[in-house]
Amino acid sequence: MLIDKNSPLPIYHQIEEYIKDRIEKGELKPGNVLPSEREYSQLFQVSRMTIRQAINKLVNDGYLYRKKGSGTFVAEKKFEQALQGLTSFTEDMKARGLTPSSKLLHFEIIPASPQVAATLQVAENTPVYEMKRIRLADEIPMALETCYISANLVKGLTEEIVSHSIYKYIEEKLQLDIGEATQIIESSLANETETELLKIKKGSPILLIERCTFLTNGTPFEIVRSSYRADRYKFISHLKR
Ligand code: 16G
């Protein structure tokens, strides 16, 4: 039996679980078109309204997406990103077996604004690198990062270096020890720039992450404001009592 009409669980919820289960088992793969509401309503012997309710929930939760005029499709699986470890984008993608890359949009040394200076604990107008990078995994844009790095601390950055891993350069070339970071995560909707650069639809969900990272000696060296695609990312944290 696919669903149990006598169960206290709402029928739309059981259908939702059935579709999720087929996705998780790989019977419905990313990019596959979902059977129509009519087919499902015949299969489960329930109204199309009930099917629509289940599908809407799965669209909202990012398991499915709709394409105007062509139907409902199975979405790519979201990346699960642990919130405990202080890792770089390059490390995260490699750990998933994906090829990381960056598209550098902007790179400049500027005088620190009062806000940047306060966070990086330097005097106002101290030189800082300002850069903007699109971070890609297997050529697919995942996040947009705007970064401020203390130029007196992280010396010698070039366009070439920041097109690869900044953390690798800091640790291996400069022999500085990256220690810890604080991070703030907020939800948002893609603005025009994010829509264009991340190749997503206007108003798509975005996770805004602001990270301030410190060396092991407690000196802050970077402020990064990132826009992550919320259709491709979920963040997992482990809580202990
Ligand atoms: C991650 C970090 C970012 C850091 C970058 C270094 C988040 C939200 N952000 O993207 O703060 O600057 O890694 O990556 O995780 P890289 O070493 O590959 O340049």
Side-chain angles (χ1 to χ4, degrees):
M1 199 163 45
L2 298 175
I3 56 168
D4 177 2
K5 289 190 176 160
N6 297 319
S7 160
L9 288 174
I11 290 176
Y12 80 87
H13 179 73
Q14 294 183 50
I15 295 170
E16 202 188 308
E17 290 302 313
Y18 166 85
I19 298 174
K20 254 198 234 173
D21 189 54
R22 293 204 58 204
I23 296 174
E24 262 142 40
K25 288 191 175 131
E27 293 162 11
L28 279 170
K29 295 195 172 51
N32 281 175
V33 68
L34 199 74
S36 67
E37 284 178 9
R38 188 162 40 81
E39 284 170 75
Y40 271 145
S41 88
Q42 278 167 3
L43 175 69
F44 296 114
Q45 293 295 302
V46 298
S47 74
R48 285 174 66 164
M49 271 294 288
T50 307
I51 302 293
R52 196 166 309 152
Q53 203 176 354
I55 293 178
N56 282 347
K57 180 75 177 23
L58 291 167
V59 168
N60 285 340
D61 290 349
Y63 287 92
L64 304 173
Y65 65 94
R66 291 197 173 93
K67 239 195 248 172
K68 253 194 203 130
S70 36
T72 306
F73 296 81
V74 179
E76 291 289 338
K77 238 184 135 183
K78 288 188 186 184
F79 288 161
E80 294 188 357
Q81 175 80 38
L83 282 177
Q84 288 89 288
L86 173 50
T87 49
S88 72
F89 184 83
T90 303
E91 290 163 343
D92 290 340
M93 294 309 123
K94 283 189 174 162
R96 297 192 174 102
L98 304 172
T99 306
S101 62
S102 298
K103 207 174 271 172
L104 184 63
L105 304 174
H106 169 81
F107 180 77
E108 192 183 5
I109 292 191
I110 58 160
S113 67
Q115 200 204 2
V116 166
T119 309
L120 291 179
Q121 295 172 18
V122 294
E124 248 176 82
N125 298 323
T126 305
V128 291
Y129 293 103
E130 179 186 67
M131 67 194 86
K132 212 180 191 106
R133 302 187 289 174
I134 304 177
R135 311 303 309 259
L136 308 98
D138 282 354
E139 310 287 329
I140 299 167
M142 290 291 156
L144 183 65
E145 288 181 350
T146 304
C147 185
Y148 297 90
I149 295 186
S150 281
N152 292 339
L153 198 60
V154 180
K155 296 197 168 97
L157 285 181
T158 61
E159 294 196 9
E160 168 62 20
I161 292 165
V162 305
S163 299
H164 299 96
S165 173
I166 296 181
Y167 281 12
K168 190 170 179 208
Y169 174 79
I170 292 176
E171 292 181 320
E172 292 182 8
K173 281 273 178 311
L174 300 181
Q175 300 271 308
L176 296 171
D177 297 318
I178 298 175
E180 54 190 81
T182 53
Q183 230 169 233
I184 301 169
I185 305 181
E186 278 179 274
S187 69
S188 172
L189 300 176
N191 60 25
E192 244 164 68
T193 314
E194 290 155 345
T195 302
E196 192 191 318
L197 299 175
L198 295 175
K199 300 202 174 92
I200 50 179
K201 278 199 231 121
K202 190 154 185 248
S204 298
I206 289 282
L207 289 162
L208 295 178
I209 306 181
E210 180 160 320
R211 180 187 284 191
C212 177
T213 320
F214 302 80
L215 298 176
T216 42
N217 67 12
T219 316
F221 70 91
E222 71 162 2
I223 305 169
V224 187
R225 299 191 185 116
S226 320
S227 309
Y228 273 77
R229 289 178 57 168
D231 62 332
R232 298 306 315 278
Y233 265 91
K234 56 178 163 191
F235 291 87
I236 315 254
S237 59
H238 176 71
L239 309 174
K240 214 169 174 181
R241 189 156 164 87

